[in-house]
Amino acid sequence: MENSAEAPLISHRDDDLDDESHSEFEDNEDVSVEWPAGRPGLFISLLTLSAGINDTGVISATLVSIGKSLSDRSLNSLDKSIITSCTSLFALIASPISSVLADHFGRKPVILLSDLLFVFGALVQAFSYKVWGMVLGRSIVGAAVGAASFVTPLYIAELAPPAHRGRLVTMNSMSVTLGQVVAYVIGWIFAEHGDPSIGWRWMVGLGALPAALQCIFLLFMPETPRWLVKAGKSMEAQRIIEKTLGSDVNKHLIVSVVKGIERELREEQGNAALATDGVKSGSWLKGWDELIRVPKNRRALIIACFLQGLQQFCGFNSLMYFSATIFTMLGFSIPTLTSLTVAATNFAFTVLALFLVDRIGRRRILLYSVPFMVVGLFLSAFGFSFVKLPSEGTNGNSSMPATTDSGSPTSSQNAAVVILVSIMTYVASYAIGLGNIPWMQSELFPLSVRSLGSGLATATNWTANFIIGLTFLPLLIYDRMDLLTPSVTFGLYGLICVVGWVGIWRIYPETAGLSLEEVTCLLENGWGVE
């Protein structure tokens, strides 16, 4: 969608730049876009750490703690699936809407809006006494998470120096995984040392605190320099870049970055005008037309949507949503604590990814890690082949322990351990690669369609998330639903990962260390894969 702020950029206001900088660069058409060397400043690191708004771990622990607190009955698998999947549905709806808002009003206001929605949704959940009230609260939280999951990585990517962009976006994922660990710890404390019927309300209610703190913190944070340039505020963009780098750098180099962004955007607008000839300027269709008809934009959209879809259809969020439920059915005495080991594995290997993503590169990390995900999923399928999960028979309770066909407790316990180890292997591999890299989607798109393209890719993620969240638990409880067995379900996820690995090898180029403007050039005449 074309931004109303593009006109000031085309008719660049000379008084935005100081006379010395302007005279030195106004005639140089080969001004470098390369960012000066330096480490990110303290303020961007603090922002990144505070940016993770996610309650996946909260809902997993909550589902096994609610009991009969909602509508005076136990939740069945359909209730749990709806409570979980409505979050994804409203995240799906919010993602493309937030992309339009981020283009018109900036990245920062959309994050603030998502914080407010998250606080409200958390409180609605905490005071719910009916299933529909919980669904309403989860839906509001879904809208908040949908907006934040799109705009937060975009905000970080547009602020970060190229050499550290992957690391900073991964820091956002790290804060999300840390939140999941905290959620499981809280869930375990309430489950073992408190009243679970009240404790789950504290779990979902306390989820409002990080969002409220981030909302306050963001009031002192800047807008991204690339959006400021697009809005014709080049001088302000220079100040933000200088502060972001956190080191004494030559001012002329900073000016060169700003002017390179300006020149790149003018070229994008010129190319888009040719590609979208006949579409009325300022029309809401123009951004879509530019995204689809310009070849490099179309390639970027295909790659971003492919990675986001793969991130969900590989089955990871199914485990995070329902891990406590799964481990309850497998017979673990403290399922929430067992789930904590999975969340802790996710966090630990996300921290490892923090140090590898810019050093090894996005493409190679995915090519190395996805095969281990396949191994973990196939081992899970193998372990489940020895386990008979309970149906939802008596009283609608699906949380009775699993057994083996032989009925041997030892065999059942061994199978459960195999499943736990294989899931941890899968989660560790996911955390290193596929859990982080799809969220670096914004670096693939030119500035003129970056918000819209990232929003559509995020919507793809939440579409897949919605499908997985709605179908995963019924697929597991096969005695009642008469659908796929757990072994087939996990095996299917493994096959999806195999197909995904081939797709990564064929179309995903290496983007580590390149400026955002340089990344878009990779897709100019092909997929950029050597």
Side-chain angles (χ1 to χ4, degrees), residues 456-506:
L456 290 177
T458 303
T460 302
N461 180 288
W462 290 110
T463 300
N465 194 314
F466 172 69
I467 295 171
I468 293 294
L470 191 62
T471 60
F472 178 76
L473 197 57
L475 288 179
L476 274 183
I477 306 174
Y478 61 94
D479 279 349
R480 173 171 176 170
M481 304 301 291
D482 196 26
L483 295 174
L484 301 179
T485 67
S487 293
V488 174
T489 301
F490 279 91
L492 179 61
Y493 289 150
L495 291 176
I496 290 173
C497 287
V498 171
V499 174
W501 185 92
V502 175
I504 293 166
W505 176 67
R506 293 292 300 273

Side-chain angles (χ1 to χ4, degrees), residues 292-373:
I292 300 301
R293 293 179 62 179
V294 176
K296 69 175 182 179
N297 298 345
R298 185 170 60 249
R299 294 185 190 103
L301 183 63
I302 291 171
I303 295 171
C305 290
F306 167 73
L307 290 178
Q308 290 286 15
L310 178 61
Q311 187 191 71
Q312 292 302 319
F313 282 121
C314 74
F316 175 79
N317 270 350
S318 303
L319 298 176
M320 297 310 295
Y321 287 143
F322 300 117
S323 58
T325 301
I326 293 171
F327 292 131
T328 296
M329 293 188 293
L330 288 175
F332 287 96
S333 59
I334 310 178
T336 303
L337 189 59
T338 308
S339 297
L340 174 60
T341 64
V342 176
T345 300
N346 188 25
F347 173 70
F349 281 84
T350 301
V351 173
L352 179 61
L354 189 70
F355 300 99
L356 297 178
V357 66
D358 285 318
R359 183 174 302 176
I360 295 179
R362 285 76 150 139
R363 173 180 164 85
R364 283 196 290 175
I365 281 184
L366 287 179
L367 292 177
Y368 295 160
S369 62
V370 171
F372 287 95
M373 293 174 58

Side-chain angles (χ1 to χ4, degrees), residues 377-459:
L377 287 167
F378 284 159
L379 280 177
S380 294
F382 175 75
F384 271 112
S385 67
F386 294 96
V387 174
K388 179 179 174 60
L389 294 178
S391 65
E392 287 194 295
T394 308
N395 299 327
N397 183 8
S398 61
S399 298
M400 297 179 65
T403 61
T404 59
D405 291 335
S406 65
S408 168
T410 302
S411 299
S412 179
Q413 184 179 20
N414 291 341
V417 171
V418 169
I419 294 171
L420 175 60
V421 172
S422 61
I423 285 177
M424 291 177 66
T425 300
Y426 164 77
V427 168
S429 307
Y430 174 92
I432 288 178
L434 202 54
N436 303 298
I437 291 173
W439 294 113
M440 300 171 194
Q441 61 194 8
S442 58
E443 66 185 10
L444 296 168
F445 296 97
L447 180 57
S448 58
V449 294
R450 183 170 296 144
S451 182
L452 178 60
S454 298
L456 290 177
T458 303

Side-chain angles (χ1 to χ4, degrees), residues 38-56:
R39 292 188 175 276
L42 176 62
F43 90 100
I44 182 62
S45 298
L46 292 175
L47 168 70
T48 304
L49 285 172
S50 70
I53 303 178
N54 186 288
D55 71 337
T56 302

Side-chain angles (χ1 to χ4, degrees), residues 1-3 6 100 103-104 272-273 275-294 297 448-449 452 456:
M1 186 168 188
E2 187 176 75
N3 194 295
E6 287 179 0
V100 176
D103 258 345
H104 280 278
T276 59
D277 186 32
V279 181
K280 183 179 178 181
S281 179
S283 166
W284 69 275
L285 290 173
K286 188 173 180 63
W288 290 82
D289 212 48
E290 180 182 349
L291 185 63
I292 300 301
R293 293 179 62 179
V294 176
N297 298 345
S448 58
V449 294
L452 178 60
L456 290 177

Side-chain angles (χ1 to χ4, degrees), residues 91-112:
L92 163 63
I93 296 171
S95 296
I97 295 175
S98 62
S99 71
V100 176
L101 296 177
D103 258 345
H104 280 278
F105 301 107
R107 294 24 171 161
K108 176 181 170 181
V110 177
I111 301 179
L112 289 170

